Amino acid sequence: MGLQSFERALANMVDSVFSRSSRNSTIRPVELGRRLLREMDDHRSVDVKGRRIVPNIFTFHLSPRDHAGFADIEHALVHELGEAAREYARDEGYHFVGPVQIDVVVDNALKPGRFGIASSLRESGAAAEQA
């Protein structure tokens, strides 16, 4: 299952790094993973061929403090979130219209411990494949 694999991989990857950065961030990586999978479920649709289509572009909005807390692991976190999305899609029979893209941005309006996610569908193409 996508979430369990994500939790295991992320736990192994960030145990030492996250323990150092947890003073700076009040959000745990697994919370981002759970919200990602829920976002996929909440925004699934059916295409003209009857396939269940889910968003493939995800942008996490974090407070400056929480974003700084993930600075040491951001690249690995983004990679693991993308893998979790792809695995979950396989498990659920979901399809993407283009490559999965995960972005993490600072939102100065958010308080520490709060985060948002925005998702969209973007077809594959020259610009999407280069991203």
Side-chain angles (χ1 to χ4, degrees), residues 21-50:
S21 66
S22 63
R23 293 181 295 274
N24 299 327
S25 180
T26 57
I27 297 171
R28 297 177 317 165
V30 71
E31 294 175 81
L32 301 177
R34 286 183 181 133
R35 184 62 184 100
L36 172 69
L37 303 185
R38 189 172 57 200
E39 185 76 6
M40 291 170 66
D41 288 336
D42 290 349
H43 292 92
R44 68 180 178 252
S45 61
V46 178
D47 71 2
V48 295
K49 296 179 183 177

Side-chain angles (χ1 to χ4, degrees), residues 39-41 43-44 53-58 95-96 100 119-122:
E39 185 76 6
M40 291 170 66
D41 288 336
H43 292 92
R44 68 180 178 252
I53 302 297
V54 292
N56 59 313
I57 306 297
F58 303 93
H95 297 273
F96 298 112
V100 173
S119 64
S120 62
L121 296 166
R122 185 180 307 152

